[in-house]
Amino acid sequence: MTSPLRRLLQYTRPHRRDIVLGTTYSILNKFFDVLPEVLIGVAVDVVVNRQDSFLARMGLSSVSMQLLLLGLLTVLIWGGESLFQYLYEVKWRNLAQTIQHGLRMDAYRHVQQLDMNYFENQSTGKLLGILNDDINQMERFLNGGINAIIQVFCSSILVSAVFFVLAPKIALIALLPVPLILYGAFWFQRRLEPRYAVVREAAGVLNGRLNNNLLGIATIKSFAAEEREAEHIEAASNIYREHNRAAIRFSSAITPVIRMAILSGFVATLVYGGMLTLSGELAVGGYSVLVFLTQRLLWPLTGLAEITDLYQRSMASTQRVLNLLETPLHIPYGGQTLSRGTVKGQLQFEGLHFAYGEQAVLDGVEVTVPAGQTVAFVGSTGSGKSTLIKLLLRFYTAQQGRITLDGQDIQQLDLQGLRRAIGYVSQDTFLTDGTVAENIAYGLPEASREQIIAAAQAAEAHAFISQLPQGYDTRVGERGQKLSGGQRQRIALARAVLKDPPILVLDEATSAVDNETEAAIQRSLDHLVVGRTTLMIAHRLSTIRNAHCIYVLEQGRIVEHGTHDQLVAANGSYASLWRLQTGQRDPGNDLGLAAL
C-alpha cells in the first residue's frame, strides 16, 4: 500500500509552487541561522590573532575595521534569518490552512455523495472525527513538521560542510552519531504507526458516543440516565486514554536515546578538537566554530522526537481522511440531463426487489402512477412503504427491477436533476440552524420574502411564524429544536410548496401534529396536490381518502389496491384498518365474540 505521506504529497500537487517557495525560505533561513556560529569563530580569531587573523589575510589589516565588518555582517545575517523565518512561517502556515480547507471540503463533498447504505454502517461521530480532528491533526504537521524536517536536513549538510573544511578528522568523529540518530528516529516512527492508528480509531468511537448522547440529551434526561451515560463516556474516554498512554510511553523514549547519541558527538569534538588546538593543528577560532556548530548540528536532532511523534500522529489521521476520499460511489451523480420544466411526472415501479443486507423488504412490487395523480401507500411498519420512496430518490439501488420517470429509467438520469424534480417531506423533519425564512427557502435560496410568506400561508404555517420573536427571521436552533414537532413539519411542508416540484412525496407529513393542525395541513394538501404527481405514505387513513389509488403493502408485497371506497367495500386489510381508526365495530371480531 502507498504510504500516507506519499498519498498526501500527491494530493498537494496543485500547491507545488507554494511548497517550493516554502522549502526555499526554510533553506535560506537555515543558511543564515548557521552563519552566526561561523562569525563567532572569526571574531575569536580576530581577537586572538589580530593582524594575523583570517580577515587580515583577506586584506583587512585594521582590527577595528575587522570588528566593524563582523558587526555589519552580524546585522545582515540576523536580518536575513529573521526575514526568511517570517516568510517561511507565513508560507507554510497559509499552505497548511489551504490544504486543510481543501481536503476537508473534498472529504465532505465526497461524504455527501455516498449512498445511504454507507451511513448505516458508519458512526456519525467517527465521520465527524475524520472531517474535523483528523484533518486538524494533519494541519499541525503541515504547519511546522515539514519545515522542521527540511531545516534538520539542511542544518546537517551545512554544518557538515563547515566541519570538513575546517577539520576533516573531527568531522568524522562528530558526525558519526548522525546516521544512528536518524536510524533510531525512523525505527521509533515505524513502531509508533500502529499505536497511533489505534488511538485515532478510539478517538472516533469516543466522538461517536459523545455525538449520539448530545443528540439524544432529551431522552437521557427523561429516563434519568445521566449517570449511566456518563459512565459510558468515561469507559470510552478511558480506552482512548490507555491507547494514548501506550503511544506516549514509546514516543517519550526517543529524546533520551537521541540525547545520549548527541552527547558522544559533542564530547568527541570538545576533547579531540581541544587536543588538536593545543598541539597547533587547529586554530583557536576554528576550534570555537566547531564547538558551537557541534551543538548547533546535534542538538536540534532532539527535535526529531517531537517531529517523529507529530509525523506519525499526522499520518495516522491522513490515512483515515484519504481512505474516506477513496470510498467508492455506488450511486453516480452524472447521467442524462433532466430539466424540471419538462417533467410530466409519470412513474412506473417495475418488479422491484430490495433487501437491507439479508433482510428482504420489497418482493416484486409493481406500481403505476399516472402523471398528475395522487397515489398512497399504507401498511404496517416494515412493509416497505418508505423504501419505495428511498428508491425513487435513489438513496439506494434496487437489486432487481427498475423505476421509470416519463418512460426513462431513473438510473440513467442526472441524480441532482431527478431530486430537484421531487419535493420530499419526511416524517423525520430536518431543519438547519438558520432562520425560519432560510429553512423554507432551503430548496430555492433565491426566493423572495413574498414567495416565502406565500408558501408558509399555503402550509398553514404563517400564523405561528408571525407570533415568533423575530417572525421569519427567528433562528430555529439545531435541527429546529426551538420549534414543536408540528411547527417543524409545517415549515417542511412550506419548503416543499415553495420548491413547486412536479412530483411531491409526503412521508407521514402529518405524523407529528394534532387533529386541528392536521385538518389545516390537509386543506393545504388538497390544493397542493392538484396537477402534480403525488406519492403519500400515511398511517392516518383520513389523510389519503381522496387519493386516486391506494396500495396496501404487507411484507414487501402489494396485497390490495384501489380507491378508498373500493378498498372499504372489498372488506380486506384496508377495511379492517379503516374500521379500527374510525372506531367502527369489525364484523370479523363480532363473529369471534359470538362464537365465544
Side-chain angles (χ1 to χ4, degrees), residues 369-448:
V369 184
Q373 290 199 5
T374 298
V375 167
F377 299 95
V378 299
S380 60
T381 300
S383 60
K385 307 182 300 298
S386 294
T387 300
L388 282 173
I389 303 305
K390 292 174 181 178
L391 292 177
L392 172 63
L393 288 164
R394 291 186 64 192
F395 290 165
Y396 302 92
T397 301
Q399 282 85 23
Q400 293 183 40
R402 67 172 190 162
I403 302 174
T404 63
L405 170 58
D406 295 335
Q408 295 178 290
D409 190 336
I410 63 171
Q411 298 292 330
Q412 309 302 321
L413 299 176
D414 172 61
L415 188 57
Q416 295 284 52
L418 172 68
R419 290 173 179 169
R420 289 191 181 103
I422 301 173
Y424 179 49
V425 182
S426 70
Q427 54 185 316
D428 183 20
T429 302
F430 170 77
L431 299 181
T432 66
D433 185 15
T435 66
V436 172
E438 289 169 345
N439 275 283
I440 293 176
Y442 192 72
L444 196 67
E446 66 275 11
S448 66

Side-chain angles (χ1 to χ4, degrees), residues 286-299:
Y287 176 62
S288 301
V289 172
L290 293 180
V291 171
F292 281 113
L293 283 183
T294 301
Q295 183 168 315
R296 176 53 63 97
L297 167 66
L298 298 179
W299 199 251

Side-chain angles (χ1 to χ4, degrees), residues 106-338:
D106 286 351
Y108 176 71
R109 287 191 174 97
H110 187 76
V111 166
Q112 286 191 128
Q113 294 179 359
L114 294 171
D115 58 283
M116 295 300 293
N117 186 57
Y118 174 84
F119 295 97
E120 292 174 355
N121 298 309
Q122 294 292 332
S123 160
T124 303
K126 179 180 178 181
L127 289 174
L128 285 174
I130 293 174
L131 294 172
N132 191 37
D133 295 345
D134 285 327
I135 290 180
N136 288 343
Q137 190 70 50
M138 181 203 67
E139 178 215 350
R140 294 187 192 103
F141 175 68
L142 292 173
N143 257 341
I146 291 181
N147 172 70
I149 291 173
I150 292 171
Q151 294 216 330
V152 167
F153 178 74
C154 292
S155 177
S156 301
I157 292 177
L158 291 171
V159 174
S160 299
V162 175
F163 261 72
F164 278 103
V165 169
L166 293 177
K169 293 180 181 179
I170 297 179
L172 291 173
I173 297 174
L175 299 177
L176 185 61
V178 173
L180 299 176
I181 292 171
L182 295 176
Y183 174 80
F186 285 112
W187 186 87
F188 276 104
Q189 177 263 319
R190 287 195 299 271
R191 281 152 184 78
L192 278 173
E193 180 178 359
R195 288 171 170 81
Y196 280 129
V198 173
V199 167
R200 296 315 308 158
E201 286 298 321
V205 172
L206 178 58
N207 280 337
R209 170 100 31 201
L210 287 168
N211 179 71
N212 186 69
N213 283 12
L214 291 174
L215 290 176
I217 192 67
T219 302
I220 292 172
K221 286 179 176 293
S222 66
F223 282 91
E226 292 94 337
E227 187 58 33
R228 184 166 67 253
E229 289 302 333
E231 290 172 359
H232 291 158
I233 295 298
E234 183 178 16
S237 184
N238 271 328
I239 292 173
Y240 174 65
R241 181 175 64 173
E242 288 305 316
H243 286 312
N244 257 312
R245 280 178 173 174
I248 290 169
R249 282 193 296 269
F250 202 81
S251 64
S252 297
I254 304 176
T255 298
V257 171
I258 291 178
R259 190 185 299 270
M260 297 310 296
I262 289 170
L263 176 63
S264 64
F266 184 75
V267 169
T269 303
L270 186 68
V271 174
Y272 186 57
M275 294 173 62
L276 291 178
T277 304
L278 290 173
S279 66
E281 295 181 45
L282 181 64
V284 174
Y287 176 62
S288 301
V289 172
L290 293 180
V291 171
F292 281 113
L293 283 183
T294 301
Q295 183 168 315
R296 176 53 63 97
L297 167 66
L298 298 179
W299 199 251
L301 292 177
T302 59
L304 283 175
E306 183 179 349
I307 295 171
T308 299
D309 187 76
L310 184 61
Y311 169 81
Q312 203 49 63
R313 285 179 181 271
S314 176
M315 290 305 103
S317 296
T318 299
Q319 184 91 342
R320 283 158 52 92
V321 175
L322 295 179
N323 285 346
L324 176 61
L325 273 169
E326 293 175 1
T327 304
L329 301 178
H330 297 297
I331 300 180
Y333 266 59
Q336 184 177 341
T337 302
L338 181 67

